[in-house]
Amino acid sequence: MNKTIFSTGIVFGTLAVILGAFGAHGLEKLVDADAIQTYETGVRYQMYHALLLLILANTNFVNEKKKKIIFHLITLGIILFSFSIFLLATNDLTPFDFKKIGLLTPLGGTLLILGWIVFGFRAFKRTK
């Protein structure tokens, strides 16, 4: 088991629960329903990818070098995708216009997709 990847998955999973609770209970009177739905999308994708990191940490069919690449793609993807969504969903609560960083969301999504592709490719290559 790769403890760094596993620990990162635990941290992102824990943060997803905390941020999800905050979104459900702390934001309901501060932002509109569309913003809460957007925020929940960020939380959901963060949790999906936290679980992916937990699985990745425990796989035997991906070597450590490839695990590291997948880990970096997923970690950076979570940060850019989910965290930019959190900022965009709460944009009305701050004086800074987070729409200026809106391009980080699709970039993060692309990194998440690449992480899945590399993981899948490594899994299928190994099983041949």
Side-chain angles (χ1 to χ4, degrees), residues 8-75:
T8 304
I10 294 290
V11 169
F12 278 133
T14 303
L15 279 174
V17 173
I18 292 167
L19 292 168
F22 173 71
H25 304 291
L27 289 178
E28 63 189 352
K29 294 179 182 168
L30 300 174
V31 296
D32 63 25
D34 287 339
I36 289 177
Q37 189 174 16
T38 298
Y39 187 90
E40 288 174 354
T41 298
V43 171
R44 189 171 46 253
Y45 276 77
Q46 180 175 327
M47 182 58 84
Y48 293 157
H49 291 91
L51 295 172
L52 176 63
L53 290 175
L54 296 177
I55 293 167
L56 177 65
N58 288 288
T59 59
N60 294 325
F61 55 84
V62 178
N63 67 42
E64 289 301 314
K65 183 179 177 185
K66 298 302 179 187
K67 278 185 185 184
K68 191 173 182 178
I69 292 168
I70 298 164
F71 168 70
H72 288 298
L73 288 168
I74 297 299
T75 300

Side-chain angles (χ1 to χ4, degrees), residues 89-106:
T90 58
N91 194 47
D92 293 340
L93 303 177
T94 64
F96 183 79
D97 185 10
F98 288 108
K99 292 177 183 171
K100 293 177 183 177
I101 63 162
L103 288 175
L104 295 180
T105 307

